Amino acid sequence: MVNKKETQTTNDEYTQIMKNLEVFQICDSMFPIGTFNHSYGMETYLREHKVKDNDSFEKWLITFLQTQFKWGEGLAVRLCHEALMNNDIDKLWDYDQKLTLSAAAFETRKGARLIALQMIELILQIYPHEKSPMMDLIKEYKARIDQEKSFGNPAIVFAMFMHREQLPVKDSVSYYGYSIVTTMVQNAVRAIPLGQKAGQRIMHDVFKVLIAICKEIFTMDESYLGANVPGIELAQIKHETTTFRLFMS
C-alpha cells in the first residue's frame, strides 16, 4: 500500500528537481542569448599574445572573476535577489543604472543590453502562459529597456528568474558565476583554441576560485557595485577599434 506521506515527499523532491533542471537550462553555455559572441576583453589579450594557451587563459579568467565579475554582475545578482525578497523593486532600476554607467567600454554596455533582452525574450517564450508577479516584473523590465528607462543587464534578469524559482541567494550568485565560467571556457575553446578536455579541466579548477569569490560577495555592500580594474576595462575599450575580430566585445 502506498503511503500518502511518502508520495507527497516524493512529489516535493521532484518539484525541486524540476526547478533545478530549469535553472541548469538557463545557465547552460548553449542557452541562445548571445553570450557566445562576447569575450569581455579576452580577445584583446589573445591578439596581444598575452592569452595564448591553457595557463594564460586560466589566469585571465580568474582575474576577470576576481574583479569585474565579483564587483559587477556577481554582486548585482546578490543585491537584486535581496531587493526582490524585500519587494524593493526600485532598487533593481537603481542597480541597472549603476552597473551600466560604471562600465567604461561602449561594447560592454551594448552587449549587456542585448544579452538581457534576448534572455527576457527566451524566458517569455519558454513560459508563455505563466501568470505570476515575477513574470510580470520581467515583462516590465523589458518594457523599461525598450522605452530607454533602463539599460538592461542579464544579471538582473537572472536574479528575477532565480527568485521565481525560490532558490536561496547564495545559489543565485553561484549559478550565475557557473554560467559565466562555462560560457567563457567554451569561447576560449573556439578562439585560442583550447582542447575540449583542457577546457573541462580549467573549468573544474576555477570552480574552487568561484566559490571563494561568491563567499566574498556576501561580505560587500552595494558601494562596491561597479568597481573595476584598468587592465580589463582598457582591453574592452581597445576591442572596439579592432578591425578584424571573432567576438562582438
Side-chain angles (χ1 to χ4, degrees):
M1 183 174 180
V2 178
N3 185 300
K4 290 185 178 180
K5 185 176 181 180
E6 289 181 354
T7 302
Q8 181 62 44
T9 300
T10 302
N11 289 338
D12 289 344
E13 289 173 348
Y14 277 105
T15 297
Q16 185 60 50
I17 290 172
M18 183 62 185
K19 288 183 179 181
N20 292 338
L21 291 175
E22 290 177 339
V23 171
F24 294 160
Q25 180 183 18
I26 201 172
C27 290
D28 196 300
S29 61
M30 298 304 292
F31 197 62
I33 55 176
T35 50
F36 59 87
N37 284 325
H38 300 273
S39 77
Y40 300 97
M42 187 262 290
E43 186 173 11
T44 300
Y45 288 95
L46 179 64
R47 294 194 177 279
E48 293 177 352
H49 305 290
K50 295 176 181 177
V51 171
K52 55 188 176 181
D53 53 22
N54 299 352
D55 292 341
S56 56
F57 168 69
E58 184 171 349
K59 182 179 180 180
W60 176 86
L61 179 57
I62 289 173
T63 301
F64 177 83
L65 292 171
Q66 289 176 332
T67 56
Q68 198 163 84
F69 168 77
K70 180 172 72 176
W71 299 320
E73 292 185 350
L75 179 57
V77 170
R78 187 205 116 199
L79 294 174
C80 289
H81 199 146
E82 290 175 347
L84 289 165
M85 292 170 65
N86 295 324
N87 198 31
D88 191 353
I89 307 304
D90 287 340
K91 276 286 188 183
L92 302 179
W93 319 142
D94 181 45
Y95 296 145
D96 173 279
Q97 293 274 327
K98 287 181 178 178
L99 265 179
T100 306
L101 297 179
S102 64
F106 170 74
E107 284 186 351
T108 301
R109 300 193 299 271
K110 181 180 178 182
R113 179 181 183 276
L114 291 174
I115 293 170
L117 281 172
Q118 290 183 77
M119 185 182 288
I120 290 172
E121 289 171 2
L122 191 49
I123 288 172
L124 295 179
Q125 287 177 27
I126 294 172
Y127 305 95
H129 306 300
E130 180 175 323
K131 304 294 183 182
S132 68
M134 199 47 51
M135 281 300 174
D136 289 342
L137 186 60
I138 290 174
K139 292 176 183 177
E140 180 183 349
Y141 192 29
K142 183 181 184 303
R144 288 182 63 90
I145 297 170
D146 291 340
Q147 297 164 11
E148 299 186 348
K149 294 180 180 178
S150 293
F151 292 100
N153 191 283
I156 297 175
V157 183
F158 188 85
M160 292 177 178
F161 185 81
M162 292 296 285
H163 184 68
R164 168 195 177 272
E165 297 290 344
Q166 298 180 315
L167 293 180
V169 182
K170 69 177 186 303
D171 291 30
S172 297
V173 178
S174 302
Y175 288 149
Y176 192 76
Y178 167 80
S179 72
I180 295 293
V181 170
T182 56
T183 297
M184 294 311 303
V185 167
Q186 287 305 311
N187 289 352
V189 166
R190 291 186 291 125
I192 293 175
L194 300 180
Q196 287 285 356
K197 291 181 180 178
Q200 291 299 317
R201 180 193 60 76
I202 291 171
M203 193 183 303
H204 182 266
D205 290 346
V206 169
F207 285 161
K208 300 172 186 176
V209 178
L210 176 62
I211 293 301
I213 291 169
C214 290
K215 290 178 180 178
E216 286 185 59
I217 285 173
F218 282 87
T219 68
M220 301 184 294
D221 59 38
E222 64 181 75
S223 67
Y224 285 87
L225 187 64
N228 217 320
V229 289
I232 289 178
E233 283 206 319
L234 286 172
Q236 292 168 349
I237 292 170
K238 287 172 70 176
H239 189 269
E240 297 172 6
T241 58
T242 301
T243 304
F244 173 79
R245 52 190 177 177
L246 299 172
F247 299 94
M248 293 173 61
S249 72

